[in-house]
Amino acid sequence: MVRVESTPEFVKQAYTKIEARLTAVKQHVSRPLSLAEKLIFGHLDNPETTDLTPGKSYISLRPDRVAMQDATAQMAILQFISAGLKSVAVPTTVHCDHLIQARVGANDDLKNAIVTNKEVYDFLRSASQKYNIGFWKPGAGIIHQVVLENYAFPGGMMIGTDSHTPNAGGLGMFASGVGGADAVDVMAGLPWELLMPKRIGVHLTGKLSGWTAPKDVILKLLGILTVKGGTNAVIEYFGPGTESISCTGKGTITNMGAELGATTSIFPYDSRMHDYLRATERAELARLAESHPSLLRADEEVEANPDKYFDRVIEIDLDKLEPHVVGPHSPDAARPISELASAAKENSWPLKLTNALIGSCTNSSYEDICRAAEVADQAAAKGMKAVSPFWVTPGSEQVFQTIKRDGQMQRLERIGAKVLANACGPCIGQWKRDDMDVTEPNTIMSSYNRNFPGRNDGSPQTLSFITSPEITVAYALAGTIDFNPLADNVPGAANKFKLTAPKPSPDIPANGYVKDEQGYQPPAEDGSAIKVEVDLKSERLQLLTPFEQWDGKDYIDLPVLVKAKGKCTTDHISPAGKWLRFRGHLDHISDNMFSGAINAFTDERGKTKNPLTGEGGQDISQVARALKGKGVKWAVVGDENYGEGSSREHAAMEPRFLGGVAVITKSFARIHESNLKKQGILPLTFTEASDYDKIQENDRITLKELAALQPGQPVRMVIKHADGKTEDVWLKHSLNSEQIKWFRSGSALNRMKEKASK
């Protein structure tokens, strides 16, 4: 039986495999290696391969672990069931964190979720028992925090069905977000296919101090690289500044590398990681890491001459780094905090802060809560409470019980904080707001990681800003974003006073963590007798029917279902929030398809013209259903970095289910492009970005010579306009030989079954 835990013996074997593979790779790669390269090469399925060109070569890797959260695990497990396998091939866990709706507080919200989601939780629990998967119950914590506390280890490789899986990079792990189909491959014993990442080095000097927090490192980097600047690249941090950042602080930084579009982000092993491993009762793993120093950091030559070994090097001096705020609507809209007030006035943003929220998978560590409590204490000493409604989301039961024991939770509650369940809650759109009509423009501040329109509360009218937990508390006290916590008196105080920066806070509790003894359920010793049943009448779960194989013909006169304008993230393609309850039912959830996309022809959200009737202003998903009902295939046209954001493969499965066959864009985000390939949809990009402008509302497009589709060879698209005139446009793609077979078979899962039957 596959071990779920990262035991010392398991980690020892992993290091032995890494060393053996690196020895083989060094026979043909005779140069110093970065840390990321060591971990990539150390997990190669075939270490003899010489095709390792960053940004061009596809490589096959053998991850050590798989982690899934409850929203994405449903579809991944449904796909695994359809593959007909008896057990997962690598250690795998499921974490119930996404389906708990935040409304009134931890206890009531958790009780309500357990009742509301019983069918889904029972399905995930029974499937975990049957297929040898570790199961973390609702309330145990957010996947990334629980993984960091229990499973992550320096030098390991993990994939997870959530884009913020790189959180484990804070503990020196190569951890990457993927779609469920990629997870199913690895769970089935197949390698994980990845485009060899490019290398971006971030050289940290100086030391964090005062108000500046680990959060500010990644917010600053987002302002430099933008949300697509890390696409198909690993962000590797190095330099003396890394050791001034705690392990959990490093996790904050690597977590939000997902906002850069990066494959992953990673820090070298150091004493702060050692301390965290010991505090989380993994001292033996710390000793193993210390006995393999060469595996867990870049070669000295790389650190000494980074420009020679990285594709790009960015310098950040922590001594000079000012606290940052990003937003609204995009995590790369970055500015120093001193510029927020003027930006708010210039853009006529609502100044009143309607809510302030701290925690989530990104900033819910013991250190984060300690620093937030330090700011809260200053207000309490003056008899003040938060002006804005103030919410705290602990990342795990372990953190929750520890801050309860040590008093930080009570210190936050003293100024009006309300503690939510150990779950994603408002960060993922599971937030039922009763405080106001959310169709009204309003402003919120959080320490979360993502702030797309509608992300937190379902309303595109909410302007969401992101900063550190301690700065968020300061704004909660002020109740307005027309305020600089570093310089201004706190408005509304009876006696004028300024906040001072939090004193250095412990990242490790002096009395250790309170261990969560109840949240985990191990798999059955023998799951063969366990039945996993799905009611055919279920509103929440639906067994999958394989997608049809490609018929071998060109796609002729495809209508353009929608031409998306500007940012079209997976939140726009398949929103979460109220739709999370349908994550295991492909038919039902497909009704949300493109409901957040902005139509380039009309500027309407979620609306398009029905090409069969000519009627405009129709729900995009319903037009797709109408086309599917008539047997008409369709395509979508998108803008830059299409599919940015969450790893949710529903954003690829829904278009496939409703008849989509091609998505044509200026550029793709990494995970979404991979998800489209896995589901048998052609992801194509304009050779000339300006060709996007040639697509008109009533056009039909034809994709030619698909039978001759080859890696690296362009695809000819013929655009037929309503007046009968045509234009030829060339499209690029990144499909390799095996991925073309996925397309021909109808999906990667179909291809897997074909290979298994031979």
Side-chain angles (χ1 to χ4, degrees):
M1 181 173 284
V2 176
R3 287 164 293 199
V4 176
E5 290 75 18
S6 294
T7 62
E9 183 59 30
F10 178 81
V11 173
K12 185 177 180 180
Q13 291 176 7
Y15 288 161
T16 299
K17 292 176 184 177
I18 293 171
E19 288 178 324
R21 288 168 174 151
L22 278 176
T23 298
V25 170
K26 287 178 180 178
Q27 298 299 311
H28 52 84
V29 179
S30 55
R31 59 171 173 78
L33 301 177
S34 68
L35 170 58
E37 287 176 315
K38 289 182 180 182
L39 300 190
I40 291 170
F41 298 158
H43 286 86
L44 283 170
D45 182 46
N46 177 16
E48 280 73 38
T49 182
T50 58
D51 190 8
L52 298 169
T53 307
K56 294 183 179 180
S57 302
Y58 280 91
I59 54 176
S60 294
L61 300 166
R62 290 287 179 178
D64 301 301
R65 303 194 62 83
V66 174
M68 300 182 285
Q69 39 94 335
D70 52 352
T72 52
Q74 295 172 63
M75 197 59 70
I77 288 176
L78 287 166
Q79 291 178 84
F80 186 81
I81 290 172
S82 70
L85 301 173
K86 294 182 178 180
S87 174
V88 295
V90 301
T92 302
T93 50
V94 166
H95 304 257
C96 295
D97 62 357
H98 272 55
L99 299 178
I100 302 171
Q101 187 180 65
R103 185 175 186 183
V104 296
N107 291 334
D108 289 344
D109 290 346
L110 180 57
K111 289 177 183 177
N112 181 62
I114 290 172
V115 172
T116 303
N117 302 309
K118 183 179 185 301
E119 180 185 14
V120 172
Y121 291 149
D122 287 348
F123 167 73
L124 294 174
R125 183 183 292 107
S126 61
S128 296
Q129 288 281 289
K130 182 174 184 63
Y131 296 113
N132 194 29
I133 298 170
F135 180 77
W136 287 86
K137 304 172 187 176
I142 305 174
I143 176 173
H144 312 303
Q145 185 63 36
V146 174
V147 165
L148 196 72
E149 293 169 352
N150 294 275
Y151 300 119
F153 64 92
M157 177 175 284
M158 177 179 69
I159 59 171
T161 58
D162 190 283
S163 59
H164 294 107
T165 298
N167 189 83
L171 196 44
M173 193 175 206
F174 190 105
S176 188
V178 298
D182 277 332
V184 170
D185 280 351
V186 175
M187 290 158 63
L190 299 175
W192 171 43
E193 186 179 65
L194 179 72
L195 183 67
M196 180 67 192
K198 295 181 179 179
R199 302 150 298 183
I200 298 176
V202 179
H203 186 220
L204 299 181
T205 56
K207 184 177 181 180
L208 291 176
S209 63
W211 283 102
T212 307
K215 186 81 162 199
D216 299 306
V217 176
I218 186 61
L219 299 187
K220 171 73 172 179
L221 190 61
L222 274 157
I224 296 170
L225 287 177
T226 78
V227 290
K228 65 176 183 176
T231 304
N232 293 320
V234 172
I235 312 295
E236 183 170 327
Y237 296 86
F238 67 99
T242 61
E243 294 193 18
S244 77
I245 305 172
S246 68
C247 176
T248 50
K250 291 178 173 77
T252 293
I253 295 168
T254 59
N255 177 300
M256 281 194 68
E259 274 46 76
L260 295 164
T263 302
T264 194
S265 302
I266 194 167
F267 278 85
Y269 182 77
D270 62 15
S271 63
R272 307 301 291 272
M273 297 182 191
H274 170 274
D275 293 344
Y276 186 75
L277 286 170
R278 290 183 63 86
T280 51
E281 301 180 8
R282 293 176 287 172
E284 183 57 34
L285 299 193
R287 285 191 286 271
L288 281 169
E290 286 162 5
S291 66
H292 295 81
S294 65
L295 295 184
L296 304 179
R297 64 180 311 117
D299 288 334
E300 290 182 4
E301 297 91 334
V302 174
E303 291 205 20
N305 299 287
D307 290 321
K308 185 176 179 181
Y309 298 104
F310 288 104
D311 298 296
R312 180 176 180 181
V313 177
I314 295 167
E315 301 280 348
I316 297 179
D317 184 347
L318 302 180
D319 288 333
K320 298 178 181 178
L321 183 61
E322 182 181 347
H324 272 57
V325 178
V326 299
H329 300 324
S330 187
D332 61 352
R335 68 189 62 77
I337 197 168
S338 58
E339 298 176 9
L340 178 60
S342 59
K345 292 174 182 177
E346 289 171 9
N347 290 281
S348 299
W349 296 328
L351 298 179
K352 178 184 176 182
L353 192 64
T354 61
N355 281 271
L357 311 98
I358 67 170
S360 86
C361 68
T362 322
N363 276 111
S364 56
S365 69
Y366 187 80
E367 180 183 30
D368 287 328
I369 302 301
C370 283
R371 285 175 65 85
E374 284 275 337
V375 179
D377 288 346
Q378 296 178 50
K382 299 290 185 180
M384 281 194 70
K385 288 195 173 186
V387 173
S388 304
F390 177 33
W391 307 87
V392 179
T393 306
S396 69
E397 182 68 5
Q398 179 167 290
V399 168
F400 172 77
Q401 292 297 341
T402 304
I403 63 173
K404 183 179 179 181
R405 179 199 67 192
D406 293 352
Q408 292 91 345
M409 184 175 75
Q410 294 86 337
R411 290 155 63 191
L412 292 170
E413 289 177 327
R414 196 176 303 143
I415 66 163
K418 183 160 287 188
V419 179
L420 296 169
N422 311 320
C424 299
C427 187
I428 189 61
Q430 285 287 68
W431 183 20
K432 184 171 176 56
R433 290 182 65 177
D434 298 323
D435 59 307
M436 62 176 295
D437 180 356
V438 293
T439 62
E440 179 184 340
N442 72 103
T443 297
I444 65 172
M445 183 83 69
S446 80
S447 68
Y448 296 167
N449 47 32
R450 201 159 274 167
N451 61 341
F452 305 140
R455 171 78 179 189
N456 304 119
D457 58 10
S459 171
Q461 298 301 316
T462 296
L463 279 68
S464 178
F465 293 85
I466 297 172
T467 188
S468 67
E470 51 267 51
I471 294 290
T472 301
V473 176
Y475 277 106
L477 295 169
T480 177
I481 61 171
D482 185 18
F483 168 66
N484 181 354
L486 280 64
D488 299 343
N489 289 320
V490 179
N495 298 305
K496 290 184 178 181
F497 78 101
K498 293 180 181 178
L499 296 168
T500 59
K503 292 177 290 190
S505 298
D507 54 302
I508 303 295
N511 296 316
Y513 287 103
V514 178
K515 190 74 173 176
D516 178 9
E517 303 289 354
Q518 304 297 322
Y520 177 67
Q521 182 175 340
E525 287 294 326
D526 180 6
S528 59
I530 296 174
K531 292 185 178 180
V532 181
E533 297 182 356
V534 174
D535 187 343
L536 295 179
K537 297 180 181 179
S538 172
E539 294 291 311
R540 300 284 302 267
L541 298 164
Q542 179 187 49
L543 293 173
L544 295 174
T545 300
F547 292 133
E548 292 182 355
Q549 293 186 349
W550 176 56
D551 62 9
K553 300 178 182 178
D554 288 343
Y555 292 141
I556 307 295
D557 288 340
L558 300 174
V560 177
L561 180 69
V562 63
K563 178 181 177 182
K565 174 183 177 181
K567 189 181 287 287
C568 191
T569 71
T570 51
D571 278 36
H572 293 80
I573 303 167
S574 177
K578 66 180 183 180
W579 294 98
L580 275 174
R581 67 185 186 275
F582 296 130
R583 281 288 183 88
H585 199 294
L586 183 55
D587 192 1
H588 287 170
I589 199 172
S590 292
D591 283 334
N592 77 352
M593 188 184 73
F594 292 112
S595 57
I598 304 301
N599 188 320
F601 303 118
T602 64
D603 284 336
E604 294 176 293
R605 183 182 297 271
K607 304 292 184 179
T608 195
K609 178 187 287 188
N610 186 328
L612 300 177
T613 66
E615 187 177 4
Q618 305 299 297
D619 288 348
I620 297 174
S621 64
Q622 297 311 304
V623 173
R625 286 189 184 277
L627 292 171
K628 180 181 179 180
K630 295 292 185 180
V632 179
K633 298 180 176 66
W634 47 266
V636 166
V637 173
D639 212 319
E640 295 279 6
N641 206 33
Y642 179 91
E644 171 193 344
S646 296
S647 66
R648 62 192 70 162
E649 64 184 339
H650 300 75
M653 295 186 78
E654 292 170 32
R656 183 74 167 94
F657 177 72
L658 292 182
V661 294
V663 178
I664 304 156
T665 71
K666 294 181 182 178
S667 64
F668 285 100
R670 174 188 65 87
I671 299 177
H672 187 63
E673 182 179 26
S674 176
N675 286 344
L676 291 170
K677 293 176 182 178
K678 287 281 185 177
Q679 303 306 330
I681 291 180
L682 287 175
L684 305 167
T685 56
F686 293 105
T687 301
E688 299 293 336
S690 59
D691 287 341
Y692 167 90
D693 299 321
K694 295 179 179 179
I695 304 297
Q696 300 172 19
E697 187 172 25
N698 298 309
D699 285 350
R700 296 291 186 271
I701 61 175
T702 295
L703 301 177
K704 305 287 287 184
E705 292 93 38
L706 294 181
L709 188 65
Q710 293 292 326
Q713 297 300 310
V715 172
R716 184 161 65 98
M717 177 173 73
V718 179
I719 307 170
K720 183 192 294 183
H721 299 303
D723 61 5
K725 294 180 180 178
T726 63
E727 294 185 74
D728 279 12
V729 166
W730 288 99
L731 306 173
K732 299 180 292 184
H733 66 86
S734 62
L735 294 153
N736 62 27
S737 297
E738 180 61 22
Q739 292 167 349
I740 290 172
K741 292 175 183 176
W742 299 347
F743 162 67
R744 291 172 177 163
S745 297
S747 71
L749 188 59
N750 288 356
R751 176 64 180 160
M752 181 196 300
K753 292 179 181 178
E754 289 173 3
K755 292 164 73 174
S757 66
K758 293 181 180 178

